[in-house]
């Protein structure tokens, strides 16, 4: 004859109740975890992300954490810093804005002080996105200056 404690019996009853409820009650309709963006093809460093290369998938892993992209509009038009594999989440820190000016190209340097504006031909010494501070060389004098990249591709030189 075998005896068991009443505590064990209530534990078994609770477990059986949960198991039976799991079989007959509908599964959780919305996990509420949201969506993640994954590539459908291999995307290499330097490639610009387009909507045709991406898809949104529902997150099923509750342990998924990090700075992954949650919508295609969040990453469309950005440039990949590293190789992105199909079906894997896209880390937002692995993307960057497209460069407005590229190293070695011909650009316009603009310096403004009050009503006075000076403009000169120049060449950037590094790649830069809109709003980024970069160095550039004045083609006429050879002087290296620092300035902010503007959306139209000019560099607004700051006073020293």
């Amino acid at each position: 004859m075998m005896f068991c404690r009443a505590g064990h019996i209530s534990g078994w009853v609770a477990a059986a109740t949960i198991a039976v409820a799991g079989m007959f009650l509908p599964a959780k309709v919305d996990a509420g975890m949201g969506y993640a963006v994954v590539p459908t093809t291999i995307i290499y460093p330097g490639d610009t992300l387009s909507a045709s290369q991406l898809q949104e998938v529902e997150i099923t892993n509750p342990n998924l954490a990090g700075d992954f992209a949650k919508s295609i509009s969040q990453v469309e038009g950005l440039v990949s810093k590293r190789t992105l594999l199909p079906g894997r989440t896209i880390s937002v820190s692995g993307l960057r804005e497209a460069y407005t000016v590229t190293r070695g190209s011909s650009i316009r340097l603009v310096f403004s002080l009050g009503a006075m504006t000076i403009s000169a031909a120049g060449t950037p010494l590094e790649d830069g996105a809109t709003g980024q501070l970069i160095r550039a060389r004045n083609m006429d004098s050879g002087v290296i200056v620092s300035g902010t990249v503007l959306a139209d591709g000019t560099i607004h030189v700051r006073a020293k």
Side-chain angles (χ1 to χ4, degrees):
M1 180 173 235
M2 190 166 161
F3 295 99
C4 63
R5 292 183 173 160
H8 280 342
I9 292 173
S10 64
W12 283 102
V13 170
T17 305
I18 291 171
V20 170
M23 285 189 272
F24 295 109
L25 295 176
K28 202 174 197 184
V29 175
D30 181 22
M33 289 188 257
Y35 291 90
V37 177
V38 297
T40 55
T41 62
I42 296 175
I43 300 172
Y44 295 100
D47 289 350
T48 302
L49 277 65
S50 68
S52 63
Q53 299 173 305
L54 307 170
Q55 78 180 56
E56 291 179 0
V57 296
E58 188 173 354
I59 298 172
T60 56
N61 181 355
N63 298 323
L64 184 63
D67 66 340
F68 61 90
K70 294 171 180 57
S71 70
I72 291 176
S73 62
Q74 182 183 5
V75 296
E76 188 175 17
L78 297 178
V79 177
S80 176
K81 292 182 190 176
R82 54 183 72 112
T83 302
L84 304 174
L85 300 174
R88 306 285 304 259
T89 58
I90 298 174
S91 174
V92 177
S93 63
L95 305 173
R96 64 169 173 79
E97 292 287 330
Y99 291 135
T100 307
V101 296
T102 56
R103 180 179 180 204
S105 64
S106 181
I107 49 98
R108 201 90 211 134
L109 300 172
V110 178
F111 175 77
S112 297
L113 185 61
M116 177 181 70
T117 301
I118 300 171
S119 180
T123 183
L125 299 177
E126 51 198 291
D127 297 330
T130 303
Q132 189 175 2
L133 183 69
I134 65 167
R135 296 176 307 123
R137 174 175 280 123
N138 183 323
M139 297 298 283
D140 297 328
S141 66
V143 174
I144 296 175
V145 295
S146 295
T148 305
V149 179
L150 301 179
D152 63 358
T154 60
I155 296 179
H156 186 264
V157 179
R158 61 186 183 136
K160 288 187 179 184

